[in-house]
Amino acid sequence: RAEALADGVLVDVTEMATWTSEDPMVGQVSDTAGTKGFTEVGAPGRTRIFAQLAGLQSFGNLRVTPSNE
Protein backbone atom coordinates (compact mmCIF):
# COMPACT_ATOMS: atom_id res chain seq x y z
CA ARG A 1 0.00 0.00 0.00
CA ALA A 2 1.21 3.49 -0.84
CA GLU A 3 -0.16 6.68 0.67
CA ALA A 4 0.42 10.35 -0.08
CA LEU A 5 -0.41 13.46 1.90
CA ALA A 6 -2.76 15.78 -0.03
CA ASP A 7 -4.19 18.88 1.65
CA GLY A 8 -3.49 17.37 5.07
CA VAL A 9 -5.29 14.12 4.27
CA LEU A 10 -3.67 10.72 3.63
CA VAL A 11 -4.74 9.40 0.24
CA ASP A 12 -4.30 5.79 -0.92
CA VAL A 13 -2.28 5.98 -4.16
CA THR A 14 -1.51 2.26 -4.43
CA GLU A 15 -3.29 1.86 -7.78
CA MET A 16 -1.70 5.05 -9.20
CA ALA A 17 1.89 4.11 -8.35
CA THR A 18 4.29 2.03 -10.44
CA TRP A 19 5.64 -0.92 -8.46
CA THR A 20 9.02 -2.66 -8.91
CA SER A 21 11.34 -4.98 -7.02
CA GLU A 22 15.09 -4.62 -6.75
CA ASP A 23 15.47 -8.43 -6.78
CA PRO A 24 12.48 -10.33 -8.19
CA MET A 25 14.09 -13.66 -7.22
CA VAL A 26 13.54 -12.72 -3.55
CA GLY A 27 10.26 -10.84 -3.91
CA GLN A 28 8.09 -10.02 -6.90
CA VAL A 29 5.62 -7.16 -6.68
CA SER A 30 2.55 -6.79 -8.85
CA ASP A 31 2.14 -3.73 -11.06
CA THR A 32 -1.14 -5.03 -12.51
CA ALA A 33 -4.36 -3.09 -11.86
CA GLY A 34 -6.35 -4.60 -9.03
CA THR A 35 -3.32 -6.28 -7.44
CA LYS A 36 -0.77 -3.43 -7.47
CA GLY A 37 1.60 -3.64 -4.54
CA PHE A 38 0.87 -7.30 -3.74
CA THR A 39 4.14 -9.12 -3.13
CA GLU A 40 5.02 -12.77 -3.70
CA VAL A 41 8.11 -14.07 -1.93
CA GLY A 42 10.67 -16.35 -3.50
CA ALA A 43 14.20 -17.30 -2.51
CA PRO A 44 15.61 -16.34 0.90
CA GLY A 45 17.34 -12.97 0.91
CA ARG A 46 16.65 -9.26 1.02
CA THR A 47 15.25 -6.84 -1.51
CA ARG A 48 13.57 -3.47 -1.75
CA ILE A 49 10.05 -2.93 -3.06
CA PHE A 50 9.66 0.45 -4.79
CA ALA A 51 6.58 2.58 -5.40
CA GLN A 52 6.96 5.49 -7.86
CA LEU A 53 4.47 8.25 -8.58
CA ALA A 54 4.77 11.71 -10.13
CA GLY A 55 8.57 11.69 -10.03
CA LEU A 56 8.68 10.61 -6.37
CA GLN A 57 9.87 7.24 -5.13
CA SER A 58 9.64 5.38 -1.86
CA PHE A 59 10.61 1.85 -0.87
CA GLY A 60 10.16 -0.78 1.79
CA ASN A 61 12.63 -3.48 2.74
CA LEU A 62 11.60 -7.11 2.31
CA ARG A 63 13.44 -9.95 4.02
CA VAL A 64 12.64 -13.57 3.16
CA THR A 65 13.91 -16.27 5.51
CA PRO A 66 13.81 -20.05 5.02
CA SER A 67 10.85 -21.81 6.62
CA ASN A 68 11.53 -24.13 9.53
CA GLU A 69 10.56 -27.60 8.41
Side-chain angles (χ1 to χ4, degrees):
R1 180 174 182 170
E3 296 179 323
L5 191 61
D7 296 324
V9 178
L10 278 178
V11 178
D12 184 348
V13 295
T14 303
E15 285 295 320
M16 294 180 248
T18 299
W19 294 86
T20 57
S21 173
E22 188 174 66
D23 186 349
M25 294 297 291
V26 175
Q28 292 183 356
V29 62
S30 174
D31 194 42
T32 302
T35 60
K36 283 190 171 217
F38 282 68
T39 304
E40 185 176 331
V41 298
R46 295 173 190 247
T47 190
R48 290 180 180 171
I49 303 297
F50 292 91
Q52 300 172 331
L53 178 66
L56 300 174
Q57 176 176 278
S58 185
F59 69 88
N61 293 311
L62 175 67
R63 179 178 172 204
V64 178
T65 57
S67 63
N68 294 328
E69 297 183 50

